[in-house]
Amino acid sequence: MHEATIKQVDLMNRQMVRRSWATGWPGPGGTEPHLAEMTANFDRAADLVARFHGRRDGIGLTAPAEADAQASRLRIMHSLYLASHAVGATLGHELKGFEDPGESRARKHSPETIVSYQERVAGVEQLLGWAVARGWPSALAGEHAGPVNSSRLAESWAAWELQAHRALAHSPSTGTLAVISMNQVSALVGGNNLVQAAALLERIDPSEYRDRLGPALESSAHQWHGAAQAWQQLTPQDTRGTDPALLQAGRELRAALIEIQRDGAVRATPETMAERIDLTEATRTFHRAVIGSADLARAAQDVAADAPLTAPAKPVQKATQAVTERMHADHIDTSPHATWISPRDLQRNAHVDLPQALREDLAKSIGDVITAADTARSAASSMQRTPTPEPHLNGRLVEERQIPPSAPAARQPGPRP
C-alpha cells in the first residue's frame, strides 16, 4: 500500500513539474531550508540503506526488519504530508498577495495559475493524509530502536558548540545567527525534557527543578526563539550560504536528543529515558551546555554589534521601520515614513548593510538572551550540588546520642546504715 501511494505521489509531482516548465512559474528560486534539510536526510538515508542493508533478490526480510521498514515508509509519507501542507500554505500566501494592487502589478503570473497549483497540491496532501491516517501511530510500534550510545549526547553537544563559535568567527551572517538561535531553542527544549525526567524520578531535587530550573530554562528557550525570529526575517530562505559543518552539527545534536526522548510517535516516559541513558550523567552534560549557551549568546551579541552584516533590502527596510515605530510609539508624525534604503536597492532587493538603529535593536534583543541564559546557568548549578542528607532521628538513635550516665558505684559489704 505504501509503495503504491509513493509511486502515485511521484507521478503527481512530475505532472506539476511539467506544468511549471510550460507556464514558466514559479521557476528556479532559492532553497527553502527545512525542505533542503529533509532532502539531504532522505538522500543520506537512501545511501545508508544501499550500502549496509542491501539484499539480493529472493531473500526476504525478517519479521522485525519488515516491521521497521513499514514504520520507515510511514514516517517518509508523514514527512511528505507535512511538506505538501507547507507548500499549499505558501501558495495561499502568494494568492493573497494579489489583494494588494501594487504587489499584483509586479507579478508575472495570474491568480488562476496559483489556484491550479493549489488544487494539485491539495490532491497530494489528501492522498498522503489518507495513507498516514491508516497506520499512524500504530505502525510505528515495530520501529527499530537500537541501544543509545552513552557518549553521543555529550560529544554532539560539544561539537555543536565548537561549530557555532567557529561559524560566528569565520562566517558571520544573518543566516548563521538564525541557524544558531533556532538550534539553541531545540537544544534547550530537548535538554529540559531530560532534566524534567530526572526530576520526576528524583535523580535531582524535584522542588528545585519546579521552582527555579524549569522556569529558567523555559525563559531561556523563549528568548532564543525571539532572537531566531528576528534573524530569520532578515535571512533569505536559502541554506547554501550557511556553513555546512554548522548545519550538520545541529542535525546531529537534535538526533542525539530525539533518540533518547522519542518512543514511536510520542515522547518517551521518564522510565524509558532512564533505561536508555544515565539521566544523572545527562544532567551534568546539560549543565555544561547551559553554561555554553550563555557564552554563545555573548559571542552572538558581538557579531550583531560589530560584524559586517548584510541582508536583502526589503526585509531590512521593513524591520528597521518596525524598530523606529517602537522607539517613537508616542510620537505622532504625519509625514511619510523615513527610508533607510535607497529606492534602487529596494527595487532590486539588493543586499545592504544593516542600519545602525536595527543593529542596536538586534544587539539589545540578544542582551535579553544573555540575561535569561545567565539566570538558567545559575539555576542549573543546583543540579550538581548533592544535598547533605539530614540524620534520621528515631528514638533509638536519640538515646545513642545521649551522654551515658555514670555507672553506679559497687555496693560494699557491710551493715546498712
Side-chain angles (χ1 to χ4, degrees):
M1 185 269 287
H2 292 163
E3 292 85 348
T5 302
I6 292 295
K7 289 179 180 178
Q8 187 174 353
V9 169
D10 180 58
L11 177 61
M12 297 168 74
N13 178 65
R14 291 177 185 273
Q15 291 172 347
M16 283 190 282
V17 170
R18 285 196 294 270
R19 178 171 176 79
S20 175
W21 289 343
T23 61
W25 188 85
T31 304
E32 207 288 326
H34 297 92
L35 294 181
E37 183 173 347
M38 287 176 60
T39 302
N41 288 336
F42 283 143
D43 288 342
R44 184 165 183 266
D47 178 63
L48 291 172
V49 170
R51 281 194 290 159
F52 299 107
H53 297 282
R55 59 188 179 90
R56 297 186 299 274
D57 292 340
I59 299 180
L61 295 173
T62 63
E66 181 59 35
D68 186 42
Q70 291 296 330
S72 299
R73 294 186 184 100
L74 182 62
R75 284 203 177 275
I76 289 172
M77 287 195 294
H78 183 249
S79 299
L80 295 176
Y81 168 70
L82 295 176
S84 63
H85 177 77
V87 172
T90 301
L91 289 170
H93 179 74
E94 182 74 12
L95 185 62
K96 195 172 182 179
F98 281 90
E99 297 176 2
D100 185 344
E103 289 281 340
S104 178
R105 285 192 297 270
R107 297 174 190 267
K108 298 180 181 179
H109 52 282
S110 65
E112 291 74 21
T113 300
I114 300 177
V115 171
S116 174
Y117 279 108
Q118 276 186 314
E119 293 172 350
R120 291 168 183 261
V121 172
V124 173
E125 181 182 349
Q126 290 171 7
L127 176 62
L128 290 167
W130 171 82
V132 169
R134 288 173 62 89
W136 190 276
S138 58
L140 299 180
E143 189 172 37
H144 173 71
V148 174
N149 183 342
S150 59
S151 64
R152 184 185 185 187
L153 181 62
E155 291 173 357
S156 62
W157 226 313
W160 159 251
E161 290 179 359
L162 177 62
Q163 289 300 334
H165 280 284
R166 282 180 174 173
L168 288 173
H170 301 299
S171 55
S173 67
T174 59
T176 296
L177 287 161
V179 169
I180 289 174
S181 300
M182 205 64 238
N183 210 70
Q184 281 296 107
V185 177
S186 300
L188 286 170
V189 171
N192 190 14
N193 290 339
L194 291 179
V195 179
Q196 183 183 52
L200 291 172
L201 296 178
E202 298 189 0
R203 307 295 172 84
I204 62 173
D205 187 346
S207 61
E208 185 75 18
Y209 172 81
R210 183 190 63 242
D211 298 336
R212 290 190 62 208
L213 182 56
L217 293 175
E218 291 177 3
S219 176
S220 184
H222 175 74
Q223 294 297 338
W224 273 111
H225 186 262
Q229 289 183 315
W231 292 114
Q232 283 175 332
Q233 71 175 344
L234 298 173
T235 304
Q237 294 295 305
D238 191 341
T239 60
R240 285 176 295 186
T242 307
D243 182 3
L246 178 68
L247 297 174
Q248 178 56 35
R251 284 192 289 265
E252 172 61 18
L253 176 55
R254 293 195 298 274
L257 288 164
I258 287 173
E259 75 167 347
I260 300 169
Q261 300 175 24
R262 190 182 68 192
D263 189 9
V266 298
R267 187 198 296 182
T269 63
E271 291 77 12
T272 299
M273 295 186 201
E275 291 173 1
R276 295 174 176 175
I277 194 171
D278 183 344
L279 285 177
T280 302
E281 185 62 32
T283 59
R284 296 192 183 101
T285 297
F286 185 55
H287 181 209
R288 178 186 178 282
V290 171
I291 296 173
S293 178
D295 189 45
L296 190 58
R298 286 181 168 81
Q301 188 180 48
D302 291 340
V303 169
D306 302 322
L309 300 176
T310 63
K314 289 182 179 179
V316 168
Q317 170 72 10
K318 183 177 180 180
T320 309
Q321 180 66 49
V323 168
T324 55
E325 287 179 355
R326 288 200 308 271
M327 293 171 58
H328 307 288
D330 298 332
H331 178 66
I332 301 176
D333 187 0
T334 57
S335 64
H337 291 310
T339 301
W340 295 267
I341 313 298
S342 72
R344 182 177 180 181
D345 286 337
L346 281 172
Q347 184 178 13
R348 296 184 296 120
N349 200 27
H351 276 247
V352 298
D353 294 333
L354 302 188
Q356 187 61 30
L358 180 58
R359 268 187 177 276
E360 292 175 357
D361 185 74
L362 291 169
K364 179 180 178 298
S365 69
I366 299 183
D368 296 335
V369 175
I370 293 172
T371 300
D374 283 340
T375 301
R377 180 178 60 182
S378 174
S381 64
S382 63
M383 291 191 297
Q384 307 309 314
R385 292 198 301 267
T386 303
T388 303
E390 295 183 2
H392 182 63
L393 300 180
N394 55 29
R396 182 177 179 183
L397 286 177
V398 170
E399 291 176 359
E400 292 174 349
R401 290 163 61 90
Q402 302 298 319
I403 299 175
S406 302
R411 185 183 299 272
Q412 299 294 324
R416 293 186 178 184

